[in-house]
Amino acid sequence: MIHRYIKWGVLIVLALGAPVLMPAIKTQLAMLMLMITFALTWDIMGGQMGYNSFGNIVFFGVGMYVTAVIQRDMFFTAEEYETMAGALGAIDGTDYLTGLVIGLAASIVVCVVLAAILGAGILKLRGHYFAICTLGLGIAAAEIAGGIDYIGAGSGLVTPTFPNEYLGDRGYFFYYYFLVLAVVAFLVLSWLYRGQFGLAINAIRDDEDKAEAMGIHTTRYKTMAWCISAFFLALAGGAMGNLVGFIDPSEVAFAGATYGVWMVLMAILGGKGTIWGPVIGAAVFHIMQELFWTYLFGWQRVALGALIIAIVVFFPEGIMGFVRARWPELLGHKVDHQTPESRIVP
Amino acid sequence: MKIMRMFKALPMIWAVFAVMLAAPLPAMAKVDGDTIIFGAAVSFTGKYSTNGKHTKNGYDLAVERINANGGVTVDGKSYQIAIQYYDDESTPARAAQLAEKLIQQDGIQFVLGPYGSGLTKAIAPVTEKYKIPMVEGNGASRSLFNKGYKYLFAVLSTSEQYLAEAINLAAEQAKKDGRDPSSVTVAIAVENDPFSQDIRAGVVDDANKWGMKIVIDDKLPKELNDMTATLTKVKALKPDVLVVSGHSKGAVLVVRQINEMRVNVPMLAITHCEAADVIGKFAEGAEHTLCATQWTETMSYQDDDFGTAMDYYNDFNSIYGYYPPYQAAESTASVQVFVDAIERAGSFDTEAIRSALAATDLMTFYGPVKFTEAGNNMAKPMVLRQIRDGKYVAVAPSRFASEPVVYPRPDL
């Protein structure tokens, strides 16, 4: 029992102390937490429910824009804002936090409602059709955002400058924000997977028709699953806009080719359909990527490509799947080491 | 139980992360022994990779030349210079992250700009936040200079000036033909990115000034590989001027498709001719296109590092095997301006260097550099050149024009 508390303790201390121990990489650590959130939320649909969505990035981008626009419009007129570079130095801590909190709250509402509406429409599709449709959603969202002048269109939108002098270092602020987000997502999801919701979406993955025949309201559960993804992605997007400082429609907000694909990769790498898989996958992927960028300069994309191929070929079930097959005891599976003969009780 | 077991793996991951990411930390610092290290995130891959290469070559040539000429003297001591590069992959999110990395992890105190306005827009808030001076030569969007940034300095002319001259030229030609300039019709097709949208803003402002009518106003997607829809409209509406901007890809695309579709327009004004090498790619097909340029080798500028603009042009070619487009020249000039400011500041204090940068009054092979309050360089004009017999001929503004413009463009 005590052993267990020590492990938790070590983990909590590490998570809380990481940016203090390594202040130089606190933004990277914040990104790591974001990646974990990405992988966890993708896995709700992709892993637990068997619906491969490439459109989750939509909620991330919408959350980012909604938050930024509210932060902008609450305290400034558009012209003022444009000439003040995200109100460089003109915004104090209270205003910034008020804007951020209201912005995030609004983005949650918008994203969840959007997920419910989109879900009702396209969650009737299955398999490849669903995947392709969601892929289109992401691309369409980027194009639409690039055409709306109110949110900066193709010229992008600068988010309010973080008031360092009031709120301390931005890196710490966002690290702890993303840490809490990832931890809450993890806890909420593991709680959900243990209950009826988890069983229902697993049933949908295993055989949707049978699940429906058993009386499960599949469409309701599917939409719910997407709304939960949207909830966390709205919170992730809203803060990410502030962390990056500049929102470009197709490359920061609706970045399907990077974040959109990575969230799938990370979940698969770690082992989809498990709760720790996405966490481990995100950590390994993010670390490898940063290392490639540092040590294999110029070849980082080739190395990343090689890594992805290696993942698919050698770990089709992900790291968790590999561990489960190789060392099942480690994951708490009971293995009977007795030979079949010795099992015969005389 | 299962969850408990997995905790074993997690601290291990953290440890690996910590050790490997923190490892390169002490290797770089702002001034390492007798070397001053600049930092730059440039597009080595992705859609800006061509221009990213020009940017990097421009920086590298400056480093090589300045070091060969005895380096930088600060407070009586001579230093060599070097650049720490990262690849921003042409994406703003990555660029902002790398700027953090350069400043926070590598301890870089002097940042050189990336290629392109979008990426500069992503980096500027970061350098501003850490109060680290950035000198850039490839972020021309005017929206960079109305934000009150204090640590951003750009040696190039802002983007709304790029093609505005073409509109004035069209107005002059109309007058010459006995037409009212307000009867001139303009078609605009620009990429949906910060830089090109600014080009559009400049053109629209000037067209409005003359009372010209804008008959086509299209946004081109970032995945730029077809503009037949716009060109079909051009064929039908027959505007007097067609303005196109979409970095190197856009330049290649419009010249190719205008030839394929045999679109005849009296004036075609575009950006990035040199960077995209439209003459090399299309020869005849590129004839009589008007190209906006920040700098040309025929200008009479010179400095001690490189000699005349022409010397730079030839030296660059002998090292990199191609003639430098202006993107390379302005990158080189950025390093010169930075070095000049560091020498005048006489210290490595970033505030002192920022003040020195603000007070810059320097003549380079690239042209005069003198910053406004906003950090852009207003001392150097844009030039409009026309492609004639496979050569660029300056046609506007009049004080740089070596020959009058050929207007209208002969039919294809």
Side-chain angles (χ1 to χ4, degrees), chain B residues 75-91:
Chain B
D75 204 13
K77 188 177 174 214
S78 161
Y79 294 85
Q80 295 281 291
I81 57 174
I83 300 175
Q84 161 85 359
Y85 286 108
Y86 286 114
D87 177 10
D88 62 34
E89 299 177 343
S90 311
T91 69

Side-chain angles (χ1 to χ4, degrees), chain B residues 266-282:
Chain B
M267 182 183 284
L268 171 65
I270 68 174
T271 63
H272 293 78
C273 297
E274 303 87 349
D277 189 22
V278 292
I279 296 178
K281 286 196 178 79
F282 302 105

